[in-house]
Amino acid sequence: MTLSRCGLAIAVLSAGAVLPAAAQVASLKPVSAFSTIKDEHERSVALFVEAAKVITSPRCMNCHPVNRQPTQGNDLHAHVPLMYGGQSDRGVPGLPCASCHGSTNTATLASSIASIPGNPHWGLAPASMAWQGKSLPDICAQLKDGARNGGRSLSKIREHVATDRLVGWAWHPGDGRSPAPGTQAQFAALIQAWISTGAHCP
């Protein structure tokens, strides 16, 4: 009997790795919590810092690596098996992301990894949107830079975070992993409020 690459990865994890249990669901402050900040520039920065709890969460960071190798888990450990984004950001010939990741989250029988995440568009974020190891000011500048964000205006950024299904996966990551803080709607509201107050960076 042979194991698929995906099955082999699960077997390796089952044999020796102990993955952290899913943490309590973290919350986000509502936009109204920032109404007492009278200076609009300061309020805008504070709104972005709150929204960044999502942007810098493991659910987002794992797929925004600088070295084009995805990470896993709440501790951003190396992906098992070792993966590279390749030219398409969806793996390399012979080992595409779709070797393991399907269109939906898939339960496993392994004790150490309860499910394999999935989405029809599973893959790495573009290299221009690599965030791991970067400061909030740097990430903020990336988001606003049309040359790096896929040519999106600020309103298109809000639409992207509010409606994109792959972004939305962060709040429905499957058994065994903690979701991003708050909800996708709360995150989008914070981004909209950040934009409305001038989209200032920390």
Side-chain angles (χ1 to χ4, degrees):
M1 177 178 171
T2 60
L3 286 171
S4 67
R5 290 184 181 98
C6 188
L8 180 60
I10 293 172
V12 169
L13 286 169
S14 297
V18 177
L19 300 183
Q24 293 287 332
V25 177
S27 61
L28 287 175
K29 293 179 183 176
V31 171
S32 59
F34 300 88
S35 61
T36 57
I37 304 175
K38 299 306 179 187
D39 182 272
E40 189 172 72
H41 185 282
E42 289 181 13
R43 187 162 70 253
S44 186
V45 170
L47 286 160
F48 183 81
V49 169
E50 187 67 16
K53 290 180 180 178
V54 172
I55 294 167
T56 61
S57 74
R59 300 293 74 78
C60 295
M61 281 291 185
N62 279 322
C63 292
H64 285 259
V66 172
N67 65 3
R68 312 316 296 149
Q69 292 178 252
T71 52
Q72 295 176 313
N74 288 342
D75 60 355
L76 310 186
H77 63 267
H79 191 286
V80 179
L82 183 63
M83 290 291 295
Y84 295 88
Q87 292 184 345
S88 68
D89 297 321
R90 286 179 168 77
V92 294
L95 190 56
C97 298
S99 296
C100 290
H101 299 281
S103 60
T104 60
N105 297 331
T106 304
T108 75
L109 299 177
S111 60
S112 60
I113 181 167
S115 65
I116 299 169
N119 181 276
H121 303 290
W122 194 264
L124 293 185
S128 60
M129 285 285 103
W131 295 340
Q132 283 192 26
K134 296 193 176 182
S135 67
L136 287 189
D138 286 341
I139 294 171
C140 182
Q142 282 177 282
L143 285 173
K144 292 170 60 174
D145 184 357
R148 293 185 284 175
N149 71 14
R152 291 184 175 94
S153 63
L154 290 175
S155 64
K156 286 294 185 181
I157 290 172
R158 191 218 67 85
E159 181 182 342
H160 173 65
V161 303
T163 64
D164 188 276
R165 289 179 60 195
L166 187 53
V167 173
W169 172 89
W171 290 275
H172 308 280
D175 292 342
R177 58 187 65 83
S178 55
T183 67
Q184 187 171 13
Q186 289 174 323
F187 177 50
L190 286 165
I191 292 295
Q192 179 58 65
W194 168 65
I195 293 168
S196 298
T197 52
H200 294 291
C201 292

